């Protein structure tokens, strides 16, 4: 037998010794009893959702409590003192004080002239302003407020300056107390002031105050405004202000009850965040007994006017 024939016989022998793979069990073979179809594994149970748990189909796993949550006292503020080990605490005291002053607990200062405008309308052209300056820290600060109006080429109708201690009672509101001095023709009383100022829900700027004059007269003022952005720089600002007196103040032409109301809407364009010219419309009207006193004195009780001015801060 040749060598080639021997090799072929050996290869056939090895092929016969290798077991053939078992044929897959098809449904037809399983139906004829030749094999058994393997049973598929059951699908995993669905995750328990809040809706299924509410229907009693499953139970939600308990969420482990968040470490540190609750009413526990906050941890102490970290002290920046690593450099003390090298340079000494005394040498680093000045640098540490400056660091704390500039990063939390720092002082601020801002002068905001919210309104400086000319008014063109019934009864002659006039001007008006409303400004506020703040100096101090996050919690306590000094607030200086001023507002007033007068006629172009005529007399100053009235003005006031307030010096207030402003104390934060929450993230968005301050209580304020101080003094107010009036200026202008006629009596210029001094008032004690107790009020508030802040940002109400839905981003309304509100402020209110009670005034007690050195003659014992009590008056009140409440104002609100809202900045509605049309674009990032074009903003329309509706506002309203109402004043009331708890008694007649005859020397100033004020009757008891609601005495004055003002509505306005101004459209400003912020050329820079710190500088914005605006145009708009304002309407003032005396109310109740104050209106009757004004009519008796020959004054107008209603003053609609178109306005144009600037708003700036630094």
């Amino acid at each position: 037998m040749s060598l080639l024939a021997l090799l072929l016989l050996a290869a056939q022998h090895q092929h016969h010794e290798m077991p053939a793979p078992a044929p897959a069990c098809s449904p037809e073979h399983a139906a004829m009893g030749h094999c058994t179809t393997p049973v598929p594994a059951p699908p995993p149970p669905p995750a328990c959702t809040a809706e299924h748990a509410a229907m009693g189909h499953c139970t939600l796993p308990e969420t482990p409590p968040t470490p540190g949550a609750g009413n526990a006292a906050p941890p102490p503020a970290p002290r920046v003192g690593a450099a003390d080990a090298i340079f000494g605490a005394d040498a680093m005291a000045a640098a540490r004080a400056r660091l704390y002053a500039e990063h939390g607990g720092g002082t601020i200062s801002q002068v905001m002239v919210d309104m400086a405008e000319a008014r063109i309308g019934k009864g002659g052209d006039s001007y008006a302003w409303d400004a506020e300056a703040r100096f101090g820290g996050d919690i306590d600060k000094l607030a200086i407020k001023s507002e007033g109006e007068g006629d172009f080429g005529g007399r100053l109708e009235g003005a006031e300056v307030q010096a207030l201690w402003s104390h934060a009672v929450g993230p968005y509101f301050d209580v304020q107390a101080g003094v107010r001095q009036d200026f202008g023709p006629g009596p210029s009383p001094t008032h004690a002031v107790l009020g508030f100022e802040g940002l109400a829900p839905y981003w309304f700027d509100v402020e209110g105050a009670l005034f007690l004059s050195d003659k014992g007269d009590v008056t009140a003022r409440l104002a609100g405004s809202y900045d509605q952005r049309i674009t990032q720089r074009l903003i329309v600002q509706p506002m309203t202000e109402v004043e009331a007196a708890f008694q007649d103040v005859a020397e100033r032409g004020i009757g008891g009850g609601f005495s004055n109301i003002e509505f306005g809407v101004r459209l400003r364009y912020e050329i820079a965040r710190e500088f914005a010219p605006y145009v708009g419309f304002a309407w003032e009207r005396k109310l109740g007994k104050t209106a009757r006193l004004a009519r008796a004195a020959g004054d107008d009780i209603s003053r609609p006017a178109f306005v144009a001015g600037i708003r700036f801060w630094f």
Side-chain angles (χ1 to χ4, degrees), residues 2 14 78 147 223 249:
S2 66
Q14 291 177 355
E147 64 180 67
V249 188

Side-chain angles (χ1 to χ4, degrees), residues 10 37 41 43 62-63 75 80 94 117 119 137 139 159 183 204 264 272 282 296 301 306:
T37 304
E62 294 185 359
T63 304
V80 182
E117 65 188 25
R119 296 186 172 187
I139 305 300
F183 301 94
F204 285 92
I301 65 168
F306 291 99

Side-chain angles (χ1 to χ4, degrees), residues 23-27 30 35-41:
C25 183
S26 64
C35 60
T36 302
T37 304
V39 179

